[in-house]
Amino acid sequence: MERTLSIIKPDATTRNITGKVNSMIEDAGLRIIAQKRIRLTPLQAEEFYAEHKDKAFFTSLVDFMTSAPVVVQVLEADDAIALYRKIMGTTNPAVAEEGTIRKTFALSIDKNTVHGSDSPESAKREIDFFFSGTEIVG
């Protein structure tokens, strides 16, 4: 079994669609084995997205991710990273595949509803950023 991190972003939490997103996650065969609703501080968002700090969108990303609560989750399945990335859809919802979370719910390329880890190394780092071992109950 593999694990990946999911973040349901502020554009989804403010529209009260976290349950709908979770239904799509679970219907795709992923198990939610840890979950919490939090409000990221600017410092946490800057640390989490540090790999993007030299990019033009960094400040707007931090502002967006701290604008409202997020739901952070650990998902588990065989090949969880690839499976979640497939159900998420591409970053730009305008070109995302039908039936994906982003095609269904994202408002724009910037307000794209969900985040998912892109590699086993990222998944470990991202899960450890938000969760202690005792919070993961799969």
Side-chain angles (χ1 to χ4, degrees):
M1 290 299 240
E2 184 176 65
R3 293 177 175 174
T4 190
L5 183 85
S6 165
I7 302 176
I8 301 176
K9 296 181 178 182
D11 62 293
T13 63
T14 57
R15 291 182 290 150
N16 202 31
I17 60 170
T18 57
K20 292 176 182 178
V21 172
N22 280 340
S23 289
M24 291 181 78
I25 289 169
E26 292 178 328
D27 288 349
L30 291 148
R31 246 178 103 215
I32 301 168
I33 61 169
Q35 177 176 263
K36 56 187 168 182
R37 183 179 178 100
I38 61 172
R39 183 85 183 238
L40 289 173
T41 66
L43 186 59
Q44 287 173 313
E46 288 170 4
E47 184 178 345
F48 185 78
Y49 289 108
E51 66 192 72
H52 301 301
K53 77 176 193 172
D54 294 328
K55 296 181 180 160
F57 63 82
F58 180 72
T59 300
S60 62
L61 175 62
V62 169
D63 289 346
F64 169 60
M65 291 302 292
T66 59
S67 67
V70 298
V71 175
V72 292
Q73 304 169 311
V74 180
L75 309 179
E76 185 176 72
D78 289 331
D79 207 19
I81 295 167
L83 181 57
Y84 188 47
R85 293 191 73 74
K86 181 178 180 184
I87 192 61
M88 282 175 25
T90 60
T91 304
N92 184 350
V95 297
E97 243 183 87
E98 289 296 329
T100 62
I101 294 168
R102 287 177 172 153
K103 185 66 167 186
T104 305
F105 297 117
L107 300 174
S108 68
I109 196 167
D110 298 319
K111 295 179 179 176
N112 59 19
T113 305
V114 288
H115 163 90
S117 306
D118 63 6
S119 69
E121 298 78 22
S122 291
K124 178 168 181 12
R125 178 185 64 80
E126 292 176 353
I127 290 168
D128 290 348
F129 186 88
F130 289 110
F131 293 94
S132 70
T134 60
E135 294 176 301
I136 301 171
V137 294

